[in-house]
């Protein structure tokens, strides 16, 4: 592990979009608490969706680390492909928004004539264009000040964090009250397995957990509904992954014995569920001015950009 930091690359991105408001001292109920809108907030939803999708994709590939996401250097090309795709989507959304910007303003004013007195405060398209953008970067790391031992300690905390992220993913992806499972359920276990496998070089028995889950995946159908015994198998495993305390129990699991679960136990064991796509998170809190929405940055002087 003396050079484990060389197996990691960090991906960060800055997705900037306007808030659609300008600052005003007026506190009329027709306005936001910090300003007046000049476009329909729904017209900005595509930016929020792309931003959230980028975060989700990187979180499934790696783990949060400093101002970005730490991923295996072996997955660098895949990460670059994902981020280039999100950048293209962002640029397409920006082109569409800017192309109809003045129409959006007119529609908003027409629907909300009470904002007309503030029309002179609304930004022109040049200002808006300069505040919409998507940039990403990938860099290697090396210890500075911390030394090799300090770096080991920092990276050594990542396996526990990865388990916590997986638990959160599982909790938000399955419905204990559902009465059936389909092959989509398998997708939850598949992405968890891939994340564990990709980051197994970090230690913390992540590789062993990935191997257990891979064996479970081989037991589950890739299409159609699960049988009662398959539901029992998937429920048991996902129940373990829904808690940080029980996730470690996966290490003692014998997947080869799960196939022998009786149909009767399947109906009375862990609750079944069906996979649902994660909802797009709400857009970030808006700033008082008509400025952009900056991504969070961190100043970590012991890291250096190589490329």
């Amino acid at each position: 592990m003396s050079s484990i930091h060389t197996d990691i690359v960090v991906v960060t991105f800055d997705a900037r979009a306007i808030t659609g408001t300008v600052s005003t001292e007026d506190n009329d109920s027709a306005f936001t608490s910090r300003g007046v809108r000049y476009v329909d907030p729904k017209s900005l939803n595509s930016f929020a969706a792309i931003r959230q999708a980028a975060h989700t994709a990187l979180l499934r590939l790696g783990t949060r680390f400093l101002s970005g996401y730490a991923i295996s250097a072996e997955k660098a090309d895949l990460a670059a492909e994902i981020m280039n795709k999100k950048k293209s989507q962002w640029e397409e959304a920006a082109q569409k928004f800017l192309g109809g910007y003045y129409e959006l303003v007119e529609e908003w004013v027409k629907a909300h004539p009470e904002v007309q007195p503030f029309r002179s405060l609304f930004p022109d398209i040049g200002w808006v264009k300069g505040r919409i953008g998507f940039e990403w970067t990938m860099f290697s790391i090396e210890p500075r000040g911390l030394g090799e031992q300090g770096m080991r300690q920092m990276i050594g905390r990542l396996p526990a964090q990865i388990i916590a992220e997986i638990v959160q993913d599982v909790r938000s992806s399955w419905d204990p009250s559902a009465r059936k499972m389909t092959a989509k359920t398998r997708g939850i276990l598949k992405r968890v397995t891939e994340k564990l496998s990709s980051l197994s070089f970090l230690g913390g028995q992540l590789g062993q957990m990935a191997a257990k889950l891979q064996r479970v995946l081989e037991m589950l159908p890739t299409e159609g509904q699960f049988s009662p015994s398959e539901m029992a198998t998937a429920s048991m495993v996902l129940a373990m992954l829904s808690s940080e305390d029980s996730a470690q129990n996966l290490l003692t699991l014998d997947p080869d014995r799960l196939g022998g679960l009786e149909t009767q136990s399947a109906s009375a064991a862990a609750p079944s569920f069906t996979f649902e796509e994660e909802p797009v998170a709400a857009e970030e809190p808006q700033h008082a001015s008509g400025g952009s929405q900056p991504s969070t940055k961190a100043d970590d002087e012991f890291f250096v950009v190589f490329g």
Side-chain angles (χ1 to χ4, degrees):
M1 187 175 173
S2 60
S3 61
I4 192 171
H5 64 273
T6 63
D7 296 325
I8 295 175
V9 293
V10 179
V11 180
T12 65
F13 71 93
D14 181 20
R16 306 180 308 282
I18 61 171
T19 63
T21 64
V22 290
S23 179
T24 174
E25 295 181 359
D26 194 301
N27 195 30
D28 189 271
S29 60
F31 306 100
T32 69
S33 61
R34 291 172 290 182
V36 55
R37 294 190 185 281
Y38 53 88
V39 293
D40 188 337
K42 292 181 180 179
S43 66
L44 300 170
N45 284 351
S46 58
F47 296 114
I50 296 169
R51 181 189 294 111
Q52 183 59 39
H55 281 297
T56 299
L58 290 175
L59 189 58
R60 290 180 176 177
L61 194 61
T63 185
R64 293 186 184 277
F65 192 62
L66 300 174
S67 60
Y69 296 84
I71 66 172
S72 166
E74 295 181 352
K75 299 291 184 178
D77 289 343
L78 176 58
E81 179 181 344
I82 291 172
M83 299 311 293
N84 283 332
K85 180 178 180 180
K86 298 308 175 188
K87 180 178 175 64
S88 294
Q89 293 173 344
W90 190 275
E91 291 173 346
E92 290 176 5
Q95 183 177 11
K96 180 179 179 180
F97 177 79
L98 293 170
Y101 173 66
Y102 286 121
E103 287 79 6
L104 289 170
V105 173
E106 291 297 334
E107 290 173 2
W108 185 253
V109 173
K110 183 177 180 180
H112 302 276
E114 62 271 25
V115 306
Q116 181 64 45
F118 300 91
R119 186 67 178 269
S120 63
L121 299 176
F122 297 173
D124 60 29
I125 195 170
W127 184 94
V128 173
K129 183 177 181 180
R131 283 157 180 78
I132 298 179
F134 188 104
E135 302 296 335
W136 69 274
T137 187
M138 181 184 298
F139 55 89
S140 301
I141 58 177
E142 69 175 18
R144 281 189 178 179
L146 285 179
E148 188 67 36
Q149 184 60 33
M151 180 62 72
R152 287 188 188 184
Q153 292 176 354
M154 175 175 285
I155 294 177
R157 292 192 290 268
L158 292 181
Q161 176 180 300
I162 291 167
I163 297 301
E165 292 169 350
I166 287 173
V167 167
Q168 181 59 39
D169 182 16
V170 171
R171 286 178 176 176
S172 64
S173 300
W174 66 298
D175 178 10
S177 65
R179 297 177 178 274
K180 68 177 182 179
M181 288 185 184
T182 70
K184 289 185 178 180
T185 302
R186 191 175 185 276
I188 304 173
L189 290 172
K190 185 174 186 293
R191 68 170 178 259
V192 169
T193 302
E194 290 175 346
K195 177 167 180 167
L196 288 170
S197 179
S198 175
L199 298 172
S200 61
F201 68 94
L202 293 174
Q205 297 181 309
L206 300 181
Q208 294 92 316
M209 295 178 71
K212 297 278 188 177
L213 288 177
Q214 182 58 45
R215 181 67 187 95
V216 172
L217 283 175
E218 294 170 357
M219 301 167 59
L220 299 176
T222 57
E223 59 183 19
Q225 292 190 14
F226 286 11
S227 68
S229 63
E230 290 165 346
M231 290 172 60
T233 296
S235 294
M236 180 183 297
V237 174
L238 283 160
M240 292 180 181
L241 293 173
S242 66
S243 166
E244 293 181 43
D245 293 332
S246 63
Q248 293 297 327
N249 292 337
L250 190 63
L251 293 169
T252 63
L253 183 69
D254 184 356
D256 292 327
R257 298 184 61 183
L258 293 179
L261 292 175
E262 297 294 335
T263 299
Q264 181 177 0
S265 67
S267 61
S272 61
F273 64 92
T274 182
F275 176 72
E276 296 181 358
E277 292 292 336
E278 295 182 16
V280 174
E283 195 161 2
E284 298 172 13
Q286 297 178 342
H287 297 279
S289 67
S292 58
Q293 298 170 339
S295 60
T296 303
K297 298 289 184 182
D299 295 323
D300 302 292
E301 297 182 352
F302 46 83
F303 284 85
V304 59
V305 176
F306 286 107

